[in-house]
Amino acid sequence: LPVFVSYRDLPATGKSLVEGPWKPAGKTYWLSNETDFTFTVTIDGLQPSSRYQQGHLTPTTDKLTFLTSSCIKPRFPYNPLTHPLSMPGFRHLASWIPSLKASFMLFLGDFIYVDVPRRLGSDPETYRREYRQVYNSPDWPSVSEDLPWTHVLDDHEIANDWDGNTTAPYPAAIDPWRLYHTSINPSPVSPGASYFQFVHGPASFFLMDTRRYRSPSQALPANSTEKSMLGPDQLSHLLSFLSRREPEGVKWKFIISSIPFTRNWRFGSTDTWANYLHERQTVLEAMWSVAPGTGIVILSGDRHEFAATAFPPPEG
């Protein structure tokens, strides 16, 4: 996995032998016994009395290279001499893409900053405009033409340190998120959910939503058993992801969090897993229970710097 399905036009019998280019038709990142390991692809726009060829591709390798990043803003850092939608970070990334040969970009949130330097509105058009600006950056093609992007949601796609579930302005904010990002992401874990999972080569991924389902950050103490970052359904799906047996050849499980899972940063810690300690411990214990031979990695965004932290199980 994944499986990519494509098709192309074939010349009519007795006419030109030139075949059309391959066109994407669909893909799946997960097959299960529930559907007898099958999935359906719908191809629209086919013409009657025409010939087509279908093909599928399944990468087979024990190696995987992918990229992660988060937090972008056009024309930051500010330079009056550059294009208003320029992205210096994109230009730096573009210089590395050819040599890295990555399969995809896993973007960990804050694709837009609707409230920086100041909020101009809370309606869908305001949020849509922010997405259009990123996708219209002159630097966007250089990081997307040969690199598929997959996304998770964070606060600046809604409002800073968002913990208001689906109250306003969430409905306006989620409108372009679904149009631009849910539509290109792997299928959600369950219908209507905003968290995702997929398998790619030797790795399995669970992309959490740490915004929509969380308890208010200040309402309860950090170690309260009633405080949740993920909500009951998402937590149950995550624990199932950690405990399940993966397909043959999958040696890694990646958990994707838009906010830090570590407690390294004191500034702003009320917005991170450091303020949801009971559920954090539940996730850690599930990670420690994974069968030997499968590596567990948590990747998080939000902080504009790098840190690597080990979470060894307690002795004994």
Side-chain angles (χ1 to χ4, degrees), residues 13-278:
T13 304
K15 294 186 178 182
S16 169
L17 297 180
V18 177
E19 299 166 337
W22 286 103
K23 305 172 186 178
K27 58 188 176 183
T28 184
Y29 291 91
W30 183 249
L31 298 171
S32 70
N33 191 53
E34 294 180 2
T35 60
D36 201 21
F37 301 93
T38 65
F39 79 106
T40 302
V41 172
T42 301
I43 303 176
D44 298 319
L46 301 182
Q47 299 299 315
S49 301
S50 300
R51 299 173 66 230
Y52 299 91
Q53 181 181 15
Q54 172 268 331
H56 68 275
L57 171 67
T58 303
T60 55
T61 178
D62 59 355
K63 296 182 179 180
L64 174 64
T65 299
F66 65 94
L67 308 180
T68 65
S69 186
S70 67
C71 309
I72 55 176
K73 180 71 177 176
R75 215 179 194 179
F76 183 85
Y78 177 72
N79 183 338
L81 303 179
T82 61
H83 189 284
L85 301 180
S86 65
M87 296 276 197
F90 280 1
R91 294 195 294 273
H92 178 71
L93 172 61
S95 68
W96 282 94
I97 289 176
S99 60
L100 292 174
K101 295 181 173 58
S103 295
F104 56 88
M105 163 66 79
L106 196 51
F107 197 80
L108 308 184
D110 293 341
F111 188 81
I112 66 168
Y113 274 75
V114 71
D115 44 10
V116 175
R118 63 187 180 91
R119 177 183 288 274
L120 300 178
S122 297
D123 58 297
E125 175 56 26
T126 297
Y127 285 95
R128 289 185 177 193
R129 183 173 59 245
E130 295 289 328
Y131 284 87
R132 289 197 296 265
Q133 288 178 352
V134 176
Y135 283 115
N136 279 287
S137 168
D139 301 310
W140 171 251
S142 66
V143 297
S144 62
E145 288 180 345
D146 298 315
L147 185 69
W149 286 48
T150 300
H151 298 266
V152 295
L153 182 72
D154 202 25
D155 57 337
H156 289 288
E157 283 97 344
I158 311 166
N160 188 45
D161 293 349
W162 181 252
D163 62 355
N165 302 126
T166 58
T167 61
Y170 180 89
I174 208 65
D175 166 76
W177 160 263
R178 287 173 175 159
L179 293 174
Y180 284 99
H181 291 168
T182 300
S183 61
I184 62 173
N185 266 10
S187 299
V189 173
S190 60
S194 47
Y195 46 95
F196 311 86
Q197 66 182 31
F198 65 94
V199 176
H200 194 111
S204 183
F205 296 81
F206 191 101
L207 282 57
M208 297 188 292
D209 181 344
T210 63
R211 293 297 170 186
R212 176 182 174 184
Y213 307 96
R214 68 160 64 188
S215 306
S217 60
Q218 303 286 0
L220 296 168
N223 58 357
S224 171
T225 59
E226 300 178 7
K227 196 171 188 178
S228 176
M229 175 70 76
L230 304 178
D233 290 344
Q234 184 177 191
L235 176 61
S236 175
H237 282 121
L238 174 60
L239 298 180
S240 296
F241 165 81
L242 288 169
S243 64
R244 78 181 184 204
R245 184 176 179 180
E246 295 292 347
E248 184 178 355
V250 175
K251 303 298 183 183
W252 294 90
K253 291 177 184 277
F254 286 88
I255 302 173
I256 311 304
S257 173
S258 66
I259 55 169
F261 193 80
T262 71
R263 301 172 64 181
N264 296 7
W265 291 277
R266 298 302 176 89
F267 175 77
S269 62
T270 56
D271 187 54
T272 74
W273 282 92
N275 198 26
Y276 295 78
L277 293 178
H278 175 76

